[in-house]
Amino acid sequence: MKKIFIVLMSFFLLASTACANGSRGTKSSDKGELSDMKISIQITSDSGSHTLAATLADNSSAMAFYELLEKGPVTIKMTDYGNFEKVGPLGTKLPRNDTQITTQAGDIILYQGNQITIYYDTNSWNFTRLGKVVSTGSTTTITQAELKKILGKGNVTAVFSVME
């Protein structure tokens, strides 16, 4: 009888572990990994008008941002900060998933839950990664120098929208 009880308990333990592991695929990982969600960013700067494509991170912040964009494009007036990023107010708060990270050129970051930044250089801080610029309208990859040229020297207007 004891052996049957141990076998049944082992079976239930293994089954519940398998179910718990299987459910992880449907939950946000909040680790900054890229998802399948794609967005477009129309940048207007002193260097002209440019269209960028970005892939959003796999976290609840990026999902909330995507859901906001599904309601319509979001325009953000962005200013330069520290010679490494453009930053502007989102106009609403999104859930935060801050972790200590070092940004790279092309990272799209949620700062303090209500500001969006596009990095063209590095910075280390507690941020929430929303996504990554992966290309321009004419190329499949984008370099740091190209991104810096696109973002220009002064203020920019960025229109974020869901990519169709």
Side-chain angles (χ1 to χ4, degrees):
M1 185 71 168
K2 222 178 196 183
K3 285 183 182 180
I4 293 174
F5 178 75
I6 291 172
V7 169
L8 286 175
M9 288 303 292
S10 297
F11 174 77
F12 286 119
L13 180 62
L14 287 172
S16 65
T17 302
C19 289
N21 287 338
S23 68
R24 285 185 195 160
T26 59
K27 183 182 173 211
S28 286
S29 67
D30 290 339
K31 293 181 181 178
E33 295 143 355
L34 296 179
S35 72
D36 293 332
M37 296 180 291
K38 308 259 190 239
I39 63 169
S40 170
I41 310 165
Q42 184 66 40
I43 301 287
T44 304
S45 68
D46 64 353
S47 69
S49 181
H50 309 273
T51 301
L52 304 174
T55 301
L56 294 182
D58 184 14
N59 63 46
S60 60
S61 305
M63 178 61 77
F65 186 51
Y66 190 82
E67 289 170 357
L68 178 66
L69 299 181
E70 284 183 314
K71 297 174 186 173
V74 173
T75 301
I76 301 175
K77 304 278 187 194
M78 304 179 94
T79 58
D80 199 76
Y81 180 79
N83 293 320
F84 52 80
E85 70 179 287
K86 299 292 183 181
V87 60
L90 179 57
T92 190
K93 279 199 156 291
L94 297 177
R96 294 169 65 171
N97 289 288
D98 292 349
T99 58
Q100 178 68 35
I101 60 173
T102 298
T103 63
Q104 298 176 352
D107 280 344
I108 303 166
I109 300 292
L110 176 66
Y111 179 65
Q112 296 184 340
N114 64 355
Q115 297 178 62
I116 302 292
T117 60
I118 301 174
Y119 278 82
Y120 57 87
D121 211 332
T122 61
N123 186 27
S124 293
W125 199 257
N126 284 327
F127 297 123
T128 298
R129 189 180 318 274
L130 286 179
K132 180 86 171 170
V133 174
V134 292
S135 66
T136 67
S138 59
T139 63
T140 55
T141 60
I142 188 165
T143 66
Q144 180 179 2
E146 290 170 323
L147 186 58
K148 191 170 184 175
K149 182 179 177 184
I150 287 169
L151 292 173
K153 296 187 187 280
N155 297 342
V156 303
T157 300
V159 180
F160 294 82
S161 59
V162 171
M163 189 175 280
E164 296 181 23

